[in-house]
Amino acid sequence: MPDPARIVIDTDPGQDDAVAILTALASPEFEVLGITAVAGNVPLELTARNARIVCELAGREDVPVFAGARQPLRRPLVTAEHVHGRTGLDGPDLPDPTMALDGRPAVSWLIDTLRAEPKGSITICALGPLTNLALALLKAPDIAARIGRIVLMGGAYFEVGNITPAAEFNIYVDPEAAQVVFRSGIPLTVLPLDVTHKALVTRARNDAFRALGSPAGVAVAQMTDFFERFDLEKYGSDGAPLHDPCVIAWLLAPDLFSGREINVEIETLSELTRGMTVADWWRVTDRRPNALFVGDVDADGLFDLLTDRLSRF
Ligand code: RIB
Ligand code: CA
C-alpha cells in the first residue's frame, strides 16, 4: 500500500460504517480524499447526515462529504432500520452536523477526481450498496482503468445471506450495480459475511472501546451496543459482527486476513436468489478470477488494530 494510501470512502452509515470511517480518519497511512454517501441502511438524507456526524466526531470537518444515489439503479430502495435504528446511527446521542455537504454530486466528483489524479493512485473503500460506483463507471467507463483497487464489504458464500437466505444486504439492495463493479475488471478485494461474521464485538472488545474514554471511543461502544441487539437475537452470537471496518483493516494489515483469488458473479435475474454472490471458491468453472474473496481473519488482531487506531482520537 502506498504511504499514504489515497482513498475514497463510499458509505451508507450505519454504525459499522461509522467505525470504519473513524478508523480510517485516525490512521496516518490514509489520505481520505472524500466520503461519498449512498442510500442503503437508511435513506440518502440520513446517510449523508451521518457521514458528516462521524467526520465531526473525528474532528475532521476538512474531509468533504458528497451526496450520491438516493436509490438503486433499477430497483426500489430497501433499507435496514430494523438493524441500524431510525437514524441509521442509533446508540450514541450525537449532535446534528454543522459542516455542510459539498455541493458537487458524488458521482461527478468521483469521475473528475479519478480523471485528475495519477492513474491507479486511488483506492475505493465501498461500505454500502455499489450504486454510486456503478453510476460513475456507466457514465465514464474510462475511469475503470484509473482506479487502483476497490475494497468492498459485501456478499457471502459459505455464510449465506443476512437479508435473504441467498444474499448479503449491500449486494441485495443493488445487484445490477454490483454486477457492473464485479465485471469492471478493476482489482477487487471482497470482505463478505464469511469473514465479517468472525469479527464479533464481544463484551470484552466493546469494553475496550468504552475504556478509551474519548468521545469517539465511547460513541463506538454505544454504536456497537445498539447494533449488537439485532445480531444477538438473530445469530445468538457472542457480539455483533463489525462488517465495514474489515475493509479499512484489510488495507492497514492484510496479513490479518486470508482468502482466494476467484471468480464471483452476481445473481440479478431470479427474485429468489437476487443479489447472491456466486463465488467459485472451488474453481469448478473456467470463469476468470475477478476478486480476492476473503474468508478468514485473526479477530483478536483485528480488534487490537481497531482499538489502537481509535485510541488516537
Ligand atoms: O450486510 C452488512 C452490510 O450492510 C454493512 O455494510 C452494513 O453497514 C450494511 O450496509
Ligand atoms: Ca455499510
Side-chain angles (χ1 to χ4, degrees), residues 48-66:
R49 168 187 178 272
N50 295 342
R52 287 176 286 152
I53 287 175
V54 176
C55 285
E56 292 189 341
L57 180 62
R60 294 296 306 277
E61 296 82 350
D62 61 294
V63 178
V65 176
F66 305 87

Side-chain angles (χ1 to χ4, degrees), residues 12 16-17 41 84 127-128 153 162 168-170 193 243-244:
D12 64 333
D16 59 320
D17 303 67
N41 286 319
H84 298 275
L127 312 180
M153 191 278 140
N162 62 357
E168 177 277 327
F169 178 80
N170 287 340
L193 297 179
H243 307 286
D244 294 339

Side-chain angles (χ1 to χ4, degrees), residues 111-220:
I111 293 169
D112 295 345
T113 300
L114 287 167
R115 284 175 170 165
E117 298 297 333
K119 183 176 177 183
S121 65
I122 294 175
T123 298
I124 310 284
C125 298
L127 312 180
L130 294 166
T131 315
N132 287 343
L133 296 186
L135 284 169
L137 287 165
L138 292 169
K139 187 174 179 182
D142 60 288
I143 65 172
R146 306 197 61 81
I147 296 174
R149 178 171 288 269
I150 297 175
V151 187
L152 67 93
M153 191 278 140
Y157 190 59
F158 294 104
E159 194 66 11
V160 296
N162 62 357
I163 188 75
T164 72
E168 177 277 327
F169 178 80
N170 287 340
I171 310 300
Y172 175 79
V173 168
D174 198 341
E176 285 75 18
Q179 188 171 66
V180 169
V181 171
F182 277 71
R183 289 185 173 175
S184 66
I186 299 167
L188 295 182
T189 299
V190 179
L191 285 301
L193 297 179
D194 301 56
V195 65
T196 67
H197 276 189
K198 296 171 183 173
L200 300 179
V201 187
T202 61
R203 179 51 44 202
R205 290 165 179 166
N206 187 271
D207 289 346
F209 288 148
R210 197 179 304 276
L212 293 174
S214 63
V218 170
V220 163

Side-chain angles (χ1 to χ4, degrees), residues 252-280:
L252 287 170
D255 293 345
L256 291 175
F257 299 83
S258 63
R260 287 184 185 180
E261 287 285 350
I262 59 170
N263 177 269
V264 181
E265 292 289 340
I266 309 296
E267 171 60 66
T268 59
L269 301 178
S270 157
E271 276 314 302
L272 180 64
T273 54
R274 152 200 170 167
M276 180 177 182
T277 45
V278 182
D280 188 5

